[in-house]
Amino acid sequence: MDVLNKKIAEVGLKGFLDIEPEPSLDLFAELRKLKKEKNAIILAHYYQDADIQDVADYIGDSLGLAQQAEKTEASIIVFAGVHFMAETAKILNPGKKVLLPDLRAGCSLADACKPGPFAEFKAKYPNHVVISYVNCSAEIKAMSDIICTSSNAAAIVNSVPKDKKIIFAPDRNLGRFIAEKTGRDLVLWNGTCMVHEIFSLEKIIKLKAKHPKAKFIAHPECEPGVLAIADFIGSTTGLLNYTMKSPDMEFIVGTETGILHQMAKSSPNKTFIPAPPDNSCACNDCPHMKLNTLEKLYICLKYETPELVLPEDIRVKALLPIKRMLEISKQYGL
Ligand code: 13P
Ligand code: SF4
């Protein structure tokens, strides 16, 4: 076996192909060339590094990315995001090659909801409609009735007849926020996002006092105390749109720092301050999202590995609740 094939064979264990691109290469130009040659599309989440966002064909929130994945005609989808997002793209596109620059890019919400315990949880609440946040594994999606994202969760919950009871998993903060918003009683799975749960309420209050004109905007994955003092709550796309439309000039941003790149790009005269976390670190980076780098993205598309593969029975079962979500979102104009 030559060195390259040996390395490719190791990817399963390692999560990515451990090859450094030639330092002299212009990776932006190379990626543009490769995309054309291979009829590939790069879909990137707002939490990716600025370089990755700049080379992507589409940047969006989880709903936007799923909608793009559903309609793309490209032969290869390179998903610059985390594992569950690439899985969703594969579930929607069984005939296409879906690549993820680093297979280890997981999610604390998906990790906190495993099929065995979830089956036991479901058994405790028979006759409940199961709505699962898209931040979960394909196995959990296969055990769900409808999927939602943070931008359509209220619409998805409202689409369930009032006389039906609902399980909402795996994010308890988003679940609590949506229960309040819709007035529905939701049985919540106890999961959280490791990035959004660490914002410090105390430090945000102090920061607000220091910047009295700044609006505090937050993602619904944040803790209830933090959401209670937010001027606006929304998905990453919702937050970005808010900053673009608002006449305000200063914003304290309660979500992962990657989004600040697009905020600053769309409103160059406005100021964006990352909300402070409850630890000594000055950053709110998602360690999973940030496993992807421009170098890994290039190597991944060049050698078409690592590729996301899914057992067909799980894929087929997970497809239905995703399709339901996309259909309901369309009905609501989302
Ligand atoms: P959205 O981009 O859908 O708001 O999700 C945020 C998130 O945490 C993704 O992992
Ligand atoms: Fe998961 Fe939170 Fe990272 Fe999003 S930001 S991928 S929800 S850990």
Side-chain angles (χ1 to χ4, degrees):
M1 206 189 282
D2 70 9
V3 179
L4 177 61
N5 281 332
K6 194 162 171 273
K7 280 190 182 266
I8 289 176
E10 283 168 5
V11 162
L13 295 173
K14 230 178 166 118
F16 63 101
L17 184 53
D18 198 1
I19 297 178
E20 288 291 325
E22 279 293 312
S24 60
L25 281 181
D26 174 350
L27 295 184
F28 291 96
E30 292 299 319
L31 274 161
R32 276 194 292 270
K33 213 158 72 189
L34 284 173
K35 281 196 291 183
K36 221 176 182 175
E37 274 168 28
K38 294 174 184 259
N39 185 26
I41 187 174
I42 299 177
L43 303 181
H45 189 268
Y46 289 122
Y47 296 165
Q48 292 295 284
D49 277 343
D51 281 352
I52 296 182
Q53 293 189 35
D54 289 345
V55 83
D57 297 286
Y58 176 85
I59 316 156
D61 68 357
S62 309
L63 178 62
L65 288 164
Q67 287 166 330
Q68 289 296 318
E70 189 192 29
K71 69 177 187 207
T72 185
E73 286 180 2
S75 319
I76 297 179
I77 300 172
V78 191
F79 215 110
V82 290
H83 200 271
F84 74 80
M85 296 178 172
E87 270 185 348
T88 303
K90 184 67 186 176
I91 292 164
L92 288 162
N93 292 286
K96 292 185 176 149
K97 200 173 247 188
V98 176
L99 307 171
L100 180 63
D102 191 325
L103 279 182
R104 300 167 305 165
C107 170
S108 66
L109 277 166
D111 290 347
C113 191
K114 300 283 188 215
F118 193 57
E120 285 169 24
F121 182 72
K122 273 180 62 175
K124 280 201 240 164
Y125 302 99
N127 306 319
H128 281 57
V129 174
V130 179
I131 300 182
S132 292
Y133 188 33
V134 70
N135 299 38
C136 65
S137 66
E139 287 90 340
I140 297 297
K141 289 186 176 76
M143 296 163 76
S144 307
D145 297 303
I146 322 179
I147 301 306
C148 73
T149 75
S150 54
S151 54
N152 62 18
I156 300 293
V157 167
N158 281 330
S159 76
V160 176
K162 290 254 181 317
D163 60 330
K164 297 265 186 217
K165 292 178 184 161
I166 301 173
I167 287 176
F168 190 94
D171 189 339
R172 66 159 192 245
N173 289 333
L174 175 65
R176 214 175 284 165
F177 170 70
I178 295 298
E180 232 169 69
K181 199 168 168 179
T182 58
R184 298 290 288 267
D185 213 3
L186 306 178
V187 179
L188 304 179
W189 178 269
N190 191 16
T192 53
C193 159
M194 64 188 288
V195 177
H196 290 88
E197 73 170 348
I198 59 157
F199 289 117
S200 160
L201 179 57
E202 207 186 314
K203 288 185 193 167
I204 296 169
I205 292 171
K206 278 190 192 149
L207 198 60
K208 271 176 80 114
K210 224 169 125 188
H211 299 268
K213 288 193 176 152
K215 287 277 184 280
F216 172 51
I217 57 174
H219 194 279
E221 288 173 12
C222 293
E223 293 284 327
V226 168
L227 293 181
I229 60 158
D231 296 296
F232 178 77
I233 300 167
S235 76
T236 50
T237 299
L239 298 176
L240 175 62
N241 290 344
Y242 179 84
T243 61
M244 285 161 72
K245 287 182 195 147
S246 166
D248 294 294
M249 295 303 288
E250 221 180 341
F251 302 87
I252 299 168
V253 184
T255 192
E256 214 265 6
T257 48
I259 187 81
L260 267 66
H261 180 56
Q262 290 307 317
M263 288 178 173
K265 249 178 134 173
S266 4
S267 308
N269 297 325
K270 297 184 181 180
T271 304
F272 301 98
I273 310 163
D278 196 10
N279 58 22
S280 53
C281 167
C283 57
N284 309 323
D285 285 342
C286 170
H288 303 288
M289 288 277 183
K290 277 5 191 220
L291 280 176
N292 297 327
T293 60
L294 193 66
E295 288 74 17
K296 283 184 194 168
L297 183 65
Y298 164 74
I299 293 293
C300 153
L301 182 53
K302 183 169 166 71
Y303 297 103
E304 299 184 21
T305 192
E307 182 182 358
L308 200 125
V309 281
L310 271 176
E312 184 59 8
D313 58 333
I314 304 259
R315 190 197 68 79
V316 170
K317 280 191 202 142
L319 180 61
L320 195 61
I322 295 176
K323 283 273 186 200
R324 280 194 191 118
M325 168 186 84
L326 293 171
E327 196 46 51
I328 296 166
S329 302
K330 212 184 275 172
Q331 284 164 19
Y332 280 80
L334 295 168

